[in-house]
Structure formats: structure tokens, C-alpha cells
Amino acid sequence: MDKDRMSVRSALKTIMKAIRVTEFGGPQVLKLETNVPIPEPAQDEVLIKVEAAGINPVDTYIRSGTYAVKPTLPYTPGKDVAGVVEDVGAKVQHLKKGDRVYSMATTSGGYAEYCTAASSGTKILHSNLSFQEGAGIGIPYYTAYRALVIIGGARPGQTVLVHGASGAVGLACVQIARSRGLRVLGTAGSQAGIELISRNGCDVAFSHREEGYTDKIMEATASTGPDIIIEMLANVNLEKDLSMITKKGRIVVVGNRGSVEITPRLAMQKECIVTGMVLFNASQDELNEIDAAVSAGMRDGWVKPHIGKMYTLEQAPVAHDDVINNKGAQGRLIFKIC
């Protein structure tokens, strides 16, 4: 380490609070520790003083040990953060100490007062967004854009159904679709959720808890069905999607929590495409496209994450329960760190 960086490091705290997981399991394995060493950035990383951290469903799958890729124990969860650059690695050129940033590329874990993050996945946070909103950008907006635009092939004038629109990814889909000139249909599980997705740009909103709601969706599309369906809970909804999608339409599965039995003849009749989508399969070219779109959205004001609820780190077990077992998602759940 050179002298300048040594002086920077010596001026910092050396110990921080962070959530640590020492065994896979339920929310109770999330433990707050107060004597965790502050990590040091590698040459291509930055150290971020975390102001807010996003809570994603995938965080719970990783914590439970059911995710395909398991971290080495012990670890600190969390990929999405927003905060201020505190230190930079020797090879980092585009960021500097004091920059307001958001990142979905933490390398030491975001449920902490400080974290390291890959500089390539750390972006400038526009001044018209708060840190709490910044923690809502990364995985939700990048997932939504890739599902809708890159995988779904969305074009102006088409109709998209966001099947489960009131969560963080769903609301991002609504905002992106609206900005790109699509007609947006969305569903939610509560009256508050319906009002929320309507405020965020849904042209027509439906309750997916209401009997016969799919008939209403078909009526809203003159019985032709949506061109694209972004599906947040395929194990519950995929058969309904196949019955609604227009001929040669596309169903993009973003979320799933179990198995499902479907009628393949529906897909045959519609000649539709059913495809899955995982953000971490994105190519660098795709990420560059999403970076540019999100940056423009922040500048133009349509990237506006809705914060549904904020938690302290002490409330991590409750937060993980809420992100999975909610009775109608209403935006982004975050930890307010500082």
C-alpha cells in the first residue's frame, strides 16, 4: 500500500457493524456483529461508506443455502448499496473519494456500515435521488430492463402485462415500459398496491386476488392478450399467462418459488415464447446498455424507486421474513445504515 492510501486508511475507523451469517438457515441466522474489520479495497475496487442497502429476495435464498451458488461462510449478505466513496483502489480511474454512488457489485457484503465493491459495477448516483432511493436501483432496475427490453424485446406501442407489479422489480418494469412508449397493464395484491402501480405509470391496474381478473385483462386488450408478460411468480401464474398471451407473444419469467403444471397445447396454439431471465447472465454489452438507460432515467426523472419500508440492521431477520412473506408487495425494502 502506498503512503497516500496508508494515510487515508489510518484516518478511517477500523471496526464496523455488519450482519454476519455463520451457518445457512432461516432469518434467525442473520446476526449483527459490532467488531467486524472494515474491508480494504483491492486495486479495482472502491470502499463505500454505506448509507442504505437494498434487500432482495435472492438474499434470502442465498442465506437459506438453497441458491445455486453458495458463499463461503461466514459472510455478510447484500449486493445493492448506496453511499459515499471512502477510498479507491490503485487502478480505479472513474471514481474518487466523496462521490455519491450506487452499486450492485459489493464484494464484502452490503448489510454493513462499510463495504467494498467492484468499481465496474459502481455508478454515480444522480443528485436528484436520495441514498435510500439509490439502494433501490441496482438489481431491481437492471433486472427489469433486461427482462423487458433485452429479453422481452419491448417496442413502443406494444402492450405489456407486469404480473406482480407492486414489488421493486415490478415497479421498475412499469416505469421503464412507460418511458419507452408501451401500454402498461399491471397487477397487485392489495388496494394500496393497485394505487401504487397506477401512480407509477400503469394504464390499467388489476387485483390478482380477484376472481376472474384474467378475464378483465383480456377485455382490456380487446381479447387479443398482452404482447409481453413479465412474470414475477411463475409457479402460481404461468398457466394463466399462457392463456392470456397474444399469438407469438413472449412470457419472461423473472420470479418463481416452486414447480408448476401447465398445458403445453396453450403454447402450441399461441406459438409463444416462454423464457427465463437471470440478471447475472447479462453480457458486458447488455450491462453497458442498461447503465446508459438507467443513467438517462435518473437524469430525466423516471427512475424513481419507491421505498416501501426501511429497517435497521438490528431488524435484519424481520426484513428477510417480510421480503418473502408479504401480503402484497409495495416497493423496495431497504436497510437505512447511517
Side-chain angles (χ1 to χ4, degrees), residues 16-66:
M16 66 176 182
K17 293 181 181 179
I19 295 294
R20 299 291 282 168
V21 174
T22 59
E23 61 179 323
F24 297 115
Q28 72 279 0
V29 303
L30 298 166
K31 303 294 186 183
L32 179 63
E33 297 185 9
T34 59
N35 61 344
V36 179
I38 293 175
E40 181 176 324
Q43 290 189 334
D44 58 351
E45 294 179 341
V46 294
L47 177 67
I48 300 171
K49 184 177 187 297
V50 181
E51 296 286 341
I55 304 162
N56 294 296
V58 70
D59 298 345
T60 72
Y61 310 149
I62 295 170
R63 181 218 68 224
S64 69
T66 61

Side-chain angles (χ1 to χ4, degrees), residues 310-330:
M310 292 192 289
Y311 304 83
T312 64
L313 286 177
E314 288 83 356
Q315 296 172 304
V318 175
H320 266 217
D321 185 63
D322 286 351
V323 78
I324 293 297
N325 299 315
N326 58 75
K327 299 191 186 310
Q330 291 185 41

Side-chain angles (χ1 to χ4, degrees), residues 220-269:
T221 62
S223 298
T224 62
D227 299 293
I228 303 165
I229 297 177
I230 306 298
E231 179 51 63
M232 303 298 173
L233 195 60
N235 56 299
V236 173
N237 296 324
L238 188 55
E239 178 83 356
K240 299 173 186 173
D241 296 336
L242 287 167
S243 70
M244 290 188 289
I245 194 71
T246 195
K247 287 184 178 179
K248 301 188 184 296
R250 187 166 294 199
I251 300 167
V252 184
V253 176
V254 173
N256 180 70
R257 295 180 190 169
S259 59
V260 62
E261 183 175 326
I262 63 168
T263 307
R265 186 162 293 280
L266 289 171
M268 294 163 60
Q269 292 167 349

